[in-house]
């Protein structure tokens, strides 16, 4: 000990202090070794609910309230609980089958069991173009064709369309066949060029129309989303600031406006009096002949329905008896009615 003290320049009177410092350091090291060499096997009365696919663990056991009211003890309690639960999660992960990918040990996680909400809504499908809608209605399946085709005239492969294609080769297309009833003095080569330009312009216009439809649908979705965000506030967007050049969203559906239940009694009284005066005023024209014809038609309809029901039930209505003036009995050869004159078979009637 004297050699050590002489080497480090420590006086013999201070040897007790050096021993105490060394003892404290040895205790700290032992604690660190114990914490590092703790067992990975954690036992809990209530097992955790593990979702390995989401790398999540759920502990349903309530916290000890007696340990949450103390300062440093609370932190130590929460750290201890977190450490045990994390250890159980890692134990479950290391229990999965492993494989080496690029000399790195990996595990294949299972599918998640916890349904988490999406950050953004599910994207809506794009608006189909005219050709896509037509192909779907006719059951046409798109088949990818090769870009190069074999040209029989030149005995080589050329692009199907565009630059250096056989259709644009002036050496091959220097002559055009005139139709049977066509004008022989007409410039058919110029007409072919004009038709090609028209087709190109038509395709470009349809392409721009498809783009405008998609942009319009997206802008409508954005405006509706902004509207929903504004109405999600407590004031239903009344005091919400608007963005620069923000357009007002269109109201979809029919909106009904109702009068308040409790309101101005004087205004309600004036409104009722105005309605009564409008009905009772002489300015309201009534078509008397039309009203009489309508009433007469409804009366005749009721009579016809009554006669129909009487015929079904085997009874005669009073109107039917009054209207009947004569009735001829074929078996007896007698006509009954107001005249009550009897006839015999063979008599002149």
């Amino acid at each position: 000990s004297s050699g050590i003290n002489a080497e480090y320049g420590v006086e013999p009177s201070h040897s007790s202090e050096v021993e105490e410092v060394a003892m404290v350091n040895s205790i700290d090291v032992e604690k660190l070794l114990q914490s590092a060499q703790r067992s990975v096997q954690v036992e809990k009365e209530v097992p955790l609910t593990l979702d390995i696919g989401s790398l999540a663990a759920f502990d349903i056991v309530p916290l000890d309230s007696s340990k949450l009211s103390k300062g440093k003890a609370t932190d130590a309690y929460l750290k201890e609980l977190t450490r045990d639960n994390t250890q159980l999660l890692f134990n479950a992960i290391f229990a999965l089958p492993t494989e080496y990918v690029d000399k790195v040990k990996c595990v294949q996680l299972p599918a998640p069991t916890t349904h988490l909400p999406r950050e953004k809504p599910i994207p809506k499908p794009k608006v189909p173009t005219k050709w896509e809608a037509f192909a779907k209605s006719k059951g046409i399946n798109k088949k990818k064709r090769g870009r190069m085709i074999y040209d029989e005239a030149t005995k080589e492969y050329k692009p199907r369309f565009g630059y250096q294609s056989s259709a644009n080769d002036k050496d091959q297309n220097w002559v055009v066949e005139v139709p049977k009833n066509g004008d022989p003095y007409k410039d058919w080569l110029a007409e072919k060029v004009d038709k090609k330009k028209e087709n190109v312009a038509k395709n470009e216009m349809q392409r721009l129309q498809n783009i405008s439809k998609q942009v319009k649908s997206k802008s409508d979705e954005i405006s509706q989303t902004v509207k929903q965000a504004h109405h999600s506030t407590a004031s239903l967007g009344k005091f919400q600031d608007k963005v620069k050049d923000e357009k007002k969203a269109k109201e979809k559906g029919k909106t009904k406006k109702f009068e308040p239940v409790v309101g101005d009694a004087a205004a309600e009284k004036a409104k009722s009096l105005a309605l009564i005066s409008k009905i009772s005023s002489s300015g309201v024209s009534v078509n008397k002949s039309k009203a009489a014809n309508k009433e007469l038609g409804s009366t005749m309809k009721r009579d016809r329905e009554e006669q129909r029901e009487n015929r079904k039930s085997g009874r005669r209505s009073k109107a039917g008896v009054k209207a009947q003036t004569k009735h001829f009995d074929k078996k007896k050869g007698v006509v009954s009615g107001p005249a009550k004159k009897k006839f015999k078979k063979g008599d002149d009637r």
Side-chain angles (χ1 to χ4, degrees), residues 73-123:
T74 302
D75 296 340
Y77 168 67
L78 294 176
K79 287 180 181 179
E80 182 75 14
L81 186 62
T82 305
R83 184 263 167 197
D84 293 343
N85 292 341
T86 308
Q87 185 63 58
L88 290 172
L89 177 61
F90 275 93
N91 291 345
I93 293 173
F94 279 95
L96 296 173
T98 61
E99 60 179 354
Y100 283 90
V101 178
D102 295 335
K103 298 181 181 180
V104 179
K105 193 175 183 180
C106 303
V107 295
Q108 184 67 33
L109 296 178
T113 58
T114 304
H115 297 284
L116 299 176
R118 288 178 59 93
E119 180 186 1
K120 297 179 181 178
I122 299 174

Side-chain angles (χ1 to χ4, degrees), residues 267-335:
E268 186 177 356
K269 181 180 178 181
K271 191 175 180 180
S272 301
L273 290 174
L275 180 62
I276 294 170
S277 62
K278 184 178 179 180
I279 295 173
S280 59
S281 63
S282 58
V284 179
S285 59
V286 178
N287 193 341
K288 296 181 180 179
S289 60
K290 186 176 180 180
N293 292 334
K294 190 173 182 180
E295 181 64 23
L296 180 61
S298 60
T299 305
M300 295 174 66
K301 186 177 179 180
R302 284 197 299 268
D303 292 341
R304 285 196 300 270
E305 290 178 355
E306 185 180 354
Q307 292 176 6
R308 193 180 299 112
E309 291 177 359
N310 292 335
R311 283 197 298 271
K312 289 181 180 179
S313 59
R315 296 179 299 171
R316 289 182 182 176
S317 62
K318 295 180 180 179
V321 173
K322 290 180 180 179
Q324 186 180 11
T325 56
K326 294 181 180 180
H327 177 71
F328 177 71
D329 192 349
K330 292 182 179 180
K331 293 182 179 181
K332 297 181 180 180
V334 177
V335 176

Side-chain angles (χ1 to χ4, degrees), residues 113-151:
T113 58
T114 304
H115 297 284
L116 299 176
R118 288 178 59 93
E119 180 186 1
K120 297 179 181 178
I122 299 174
K124 295 181 180 180
K126 292 183 179 180
V127 180
T129 61
K130 281 188 176 182
W131 165 250
E132 290 175 350
F134 174 76
K136 186 176 181 181
S137 63
K138 298 296 183 180
I140 301 173
N141 296 323
K142 184 178 180 181
K143 295 181 181 179
K144 188 174 181 180
R145 299 185 299 175
R147 182 176 176 273
M148 307 296 289
I149 57 174
Y150 185 74
D151 188 6

Side-chain angles (χ1 to χ4, degrees), residues 49 129 336:
T49 303
T129 61
S336 60

Side-chain angles (χ1 to χ4, degrees), residues 215-225 249-250 252:
V215 171
K216 185 179 179 181
S217 63
K218 288 182 180 179
S219 62
D220 292 342
E221 291 176 5
I222 292 171
S223 61
Q224 290 298 326
T225 305
K250 295 181 180 180
K252 292 187 176 181

